[in-house]
Amino acid sequence: MARRKLVYEGKAKILYEGPEPGTLVQYFKDDATAFNAEKKDVIDGKGVLNNRLSEFFMTGLQRIGVPTHFIKRLNMREQLIRQVEIIPLEVIVRNFAAGTMAKRLGLEEGTPLPRPIVEFSYKDDSLGDPLVPEEYIIAFGWATQQDMDDIVALALRVNDFMAGVMHGVGIKLVDFKIEIGRIWDNDFMRLIVADEISPDSCRLWDIETDRKLDKDVFRRDLGDLADAYTEVARRLGVLPKNTTPGPKPTLIN
Ligand code: TYD
């Protein structure tokens, strides 16, 4: 098979040219990074789990009418997606205070918020993805007021879906990040959910124990990241057959 053309390589994923115009192949790596890639490791099996989990969330969203870039899973680490023009924003939805919000406002992590809060960071690693008000986004032309209204509505629908699914398996959706892309059907522009939805970009706490089941396990050295993601996949019933990062083989003399 001819080598595929690489379109973009990010910290946790690679995009290749897809088989049809307007499509891409999204490959999930095992690399984990945090603090703007100052902390790095390779976590065996993370890519396989995130490919499955993102497929699970994206197809679930499509079933309730939320448009996403997902077309189909191709294999353990790859999925076919629609090519979009990514809006350069990290769209963050928070249900409970955590991370930078907890720090900024001096709130204890886990404090329930009066309502879901949607906020935006400008996607630029060299600047550390700074938080930006909607006014900046519109003034700098990254999105229009109409886009922003649509993005907030989309983000809240994703939040309701994700929070419900997670609650069903005993997990609290503390916060998450999505990215939004533009696609054109002839002259008609639409905004759809793109990138990935996985424990890399959510905060997920066990409802009973507050055990962290997301990338904070890696950021804060709280244990084995693959174990945490496997637990999320197991509860959701999306554990891939024969591909779980099980125990390492032991040598028997
Ligand atoms: P936030 O608390 O703003 O940042 P940090 O993860 O540095 O404490 O993150 C809120 C949620 O959004 C959290 O689940 C992580 C996710 N997120 C990303 O996945 N990527 C990003 O670039 C940002 C800013 C947040």
Side-chain angles (χ1 to χ4, degrees):
M1 197 177 88
R3 274 181 71 82
R4 281 176 305 189
K5 188 166 164 221
L6 186 138
V7 175
Y8 174 81
E9 175 153 12
K11 287 176 284 208
K13 297 187 296 294
I14 306 174
L15 296 175
Y16 296 100
E17 221 168 50
E20 313 276 343
T23 65
L24 294 172
V25 172
Q26 178 162 256
Y27 175 99
F28 287 77
K29 301 196 271 188
D30 279 344
D31 301 33
T33 63
F35 312 118
N36 214 353
E38 272 168 42
K39 182 177 165 117
K40 287 187 209 175
D41 204 350
V42 175
I43 312 288
D44 263 0
K46 179 173 86 82
V48 175
L49 287 160
N50 280 354
N51 186 27
R52 286 279 182 165
L53 285 164
S54 203
E55 171 192 15
F56 177 79
F57 297 128
M58 295 284 185
T59 50
L61 283 167
Q62 284 169 350
R63 281 196 201 110
I64 62 159
V66 176
T68 85
H69 73 163
F70 182 83
I71 301 172
K72 65 173 182 182
R73 190 168 54 78
L74 297 171
N75 55 49
M76 274 165 56
R77 287 184 183 274
E78 294 179 330
Q79 47 184 245
L80 186 67
I81 57 171
R82 288 193 68 166
Q83 183 163 28
V84 301
E85 184 185 301
I86 287 283
I87 295 182
L89 298 174
E90 314 266 359
V91 179
I92 295 167
V93 184
R94 301 177 185 273
N95 298 304
F96 298 86
T100 51
M101 174 193 244
K103 228 177 269 153
R104 206 178 300 124
L105 301 182
L107 292 171
E108 194 184 330
E109 286 210 307
T111 308
L113 300 174
R115 54 169 219 188
I117 293 177
V118 185
E119 65 180 46
F120 309 95
S121 293
Y122 179 51
K123 248 171 83 75
D124 185 327
D125 281 343
S126 67
L127 299 173
D129 295 338
L131 187 69
V132 284
E134 204 171 286
E135 201 176 351
Y136 285 24
I137 297 167
I138 291 159
F140 288 113
W142 303 324
T144 64
Q145 182 66 63
Q146 180 64 54
D147 291 337
M148 293 312 289
D149 294 347
D150 293 347
I151 289 171
V152 169
L154 263 180
L156 291 174
R157 290 180 75 193
V158 174
N159 186 47
D160 282 347
F161 171 79
M162 293 289 296
V165 167
M166 289 302 177
H167 182 261
V169 295
I171 294 174
K172 195 192 285 184
L173 178 65
V174 173
D175 59 30
F176 65 94
K177 181 262 310 187
I178 51 172
E179 294 184 24
I180 303 291
R182 293 179 198 282
I183 52 167
W184 273 271
D185 290 325
N186 299 317
D187 281 348
F188 186 65
M189 191 276 291
R190 287 197 302 142
L191 297 170
I192 68 176
V193 178
D195 189 51
E196 74 178 297
I197 303 180
S198 76
D200 267 7
S201 49
C202 300
R203 282 198 170 91
L204 306 170
W205 296 3
D206 180 82
I207 284 177
E208 298 292 333
T209 65
D210 279 351
R211 175 185 166 200
K212 293 181 174 52
L213 298 168
D214 55 61
K215 207 165 88 176
D216 274 347
V217 171
F218 172 72
R219 291 189 193 94
R220 303 177 186 187
D221 296 318
L222 300 176
D224 187 309
L225 191 71
D227 279 356
Y229 289 20
T230 301
E231 176 66 15
V232 175
R234 190 189 62 74
R235 290 194 198 187
L236 293 168
V238 294
L239 259 193
K241 285 188 189 72
N242 305 322
T243 54
T244 49
K248 302 253 169 1
T250 32
L251 290 175
I252 299 167
N253 291 321

